[in-house]
DNA sequence: TGATAATAATTGATATATCAACTATATTTG
DNA sequence: CAAATATAGTTGATATATCAATTATTATCA
C-alpha cells in the first residue's frame, strides 16, 4: 500500500521536467546536426573546456557509469567525433581528442544549445533559478 | 563552441537530483524486496489505484514509451507480479492484474517509499515544495 | 457497407544503464 | 623490493530507451 500516488510527488515533477527538456533539446539538436545525442554533445562540450578529462571523470560529469562511458566513447570514436590514444604518463588512461568533425559539431551546436536553454527558462526569473537550484541541492544532498 | 558549460546549468542540477534520488530510493527498496525496480514498483502502485489502466496509459504516467512498457510488463509477468489477459470489450487492450505476490510487494514497499520521500525532502519547507513544483511546471511547459 | 484511418500493443535494431567480474597498470606499505 | 591495494578502463549479461515498422483490432466516413 503506497498511500501517496507517485504522480502526485515532487519527484514525479522533477522527472517529468527533465525528460521534457531532454526531448525538446534533442529534437532541436537533431534538426541541426545529424547523428548526435545530447549526452554525446555534453561529452564534447566538457572535453572542449577540459581537454585532460579521463573517461571516468567525464562519466561523473554526465552522471553515467564507466561502462556506459566506454561504450559511448567507442561509438563517438567510430563516428569520428573523438580520437582515443594511450596516455604515456599513465598507461591506464586515455587521451581523448576532439576531431575536426567534432569541433564542427560543437560549432553548429553552440547557438542551438543556448537557444534551448533560453527557451526552456522563458519566464523563469533569476530569483526563481536560485531558489530552484538551492532546493534541488538540498534534496540531492539528503539522498547521499 | 558551447559557451556556458553544461555542469553550470540548472538542467544539470535537475538531472543530478533525480538521479541521486533514484539511486537512494532503489538502494532502500532493494534492501527490503528482492528483484524489483523503482519503475516496476511505480507500475504496481498506479495499477493499485487505477486497475483499468492500459499499458499505454501506464507508460505515459511513468514517462516511458509503449515499447519499453511492453517489455517491462513482460518481465513483470514472468516474475509473477502481474497477470495479463485480453480485454474482451476491446481486444486491442489487456487487462493487467496485480498478483498476490505483487500485492505483498506493494505492502512491504509502502512504508519504505514513504520514508524515502520523507528523508529526501528533509528540511524542505512546504512553501519551497510549492515553489519547486511551480518553477518546474513552467520549464516543462516551455518545452512543449 | 467497404475502404480508410486510428488505436493498442508488439517486434527488430541499436544505444544506453547497471552490476559484477576482469585486465592492465600504478601506488602503497610491510 | 614483493605483496597487497587501488585505479582506469573493458567486457558480459540483462534490462531499458528509442525509433520505425508491423499486427490486430476498432472506429470513421463516403
Amino acid at each position: 500500500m503506497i498511500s501517496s500516488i507517485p504522480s502526485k510527488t515532487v519527484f514525479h515533477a522533477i522527472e517529468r521536467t527533465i525528460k521534457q527538456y531532454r526531448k525538446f533539446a534533442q529534437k532541436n539538436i537533431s534538426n541541426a546536426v545529424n547523428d548526435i545525442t545530447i549526452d554525446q554533445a555534453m561529452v564534447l562540450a566538457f572535453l572542449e573546456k577540459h581537454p585532460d578529462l579521463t573517461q571516468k571523470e567525464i562519466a561523473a560529469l554526465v552522471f553515467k557509469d564507466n561502462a556506459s562511458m566506454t561504450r559511448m566513447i567507442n561509438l563517438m570514436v567510430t563516428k569520428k567525433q573523438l580520437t582515443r590514444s594511450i596516455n604515456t604518463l599513465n598507461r591506464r588512461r586515455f587521451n581523448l581528442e576532439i576531431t575536426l568533425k567534432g569541433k564542427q559539431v560543437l560549432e553548429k551546436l553552440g547557438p542551438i544549445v543556448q537557444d534551448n536553454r533560453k527557451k526552456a527558462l522563458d519566464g523563469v526569473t533569476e530569483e526563481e533559478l536560485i531558489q530552484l537550484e538551492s532546493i534541488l541541492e538540498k534534496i540531492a544532498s539528503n539522498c547521499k
Side-chain angles (χ1 to χ4, degrees), chain A residues 2-55:
Chain A
I2 296 179
S3 66
S4 132
I5 199 162
S7 56
K8 297 279 170 51
T9 70
V10 73
F11 308 106
H12 208 250
I14 298 175
E15 188 107 35
R16 194 167 114 266
T17 305
I18 195 65
K19 292 224 173 177
Q20 193 94 43
Y21 173 69
R22 276 182 161 270
K23 238 171 231 173
F24 168 75
Q26 181 67 63
K27 209 181 72 188
N28 296 334
I29 284 175
S30 296
N31 282 338
V33 179
N34 254 357
D35 206 31
I36 191 158
T37 67
I38 296 188
D39 290 312
Q40 289 164 2
M42 284 204 288
V43 170
L44 290 179
F46 278 120
L47 273 173
E48 186 184 42
K49 291 280 170 182
H50 306 289
D52 291 331
L53 288 171
T54 63
Q55 297 188 183

Side-chain angles (χ1 to χ4, degrees), chain A residues 78-94:
Chain A
T78 61
K79 291 201 295 182
K80 314 272 191 207
Q81 295 163 347
L82 287 181
T83 62
R84 177 154 52 179
S85 58
I86 291 179
N87 181 325
T88 49
L89 295 179
N90 185 338
R91 297 162 52 78
R92 288 171 303 187
R93 298 189 180 189
F94 288 115

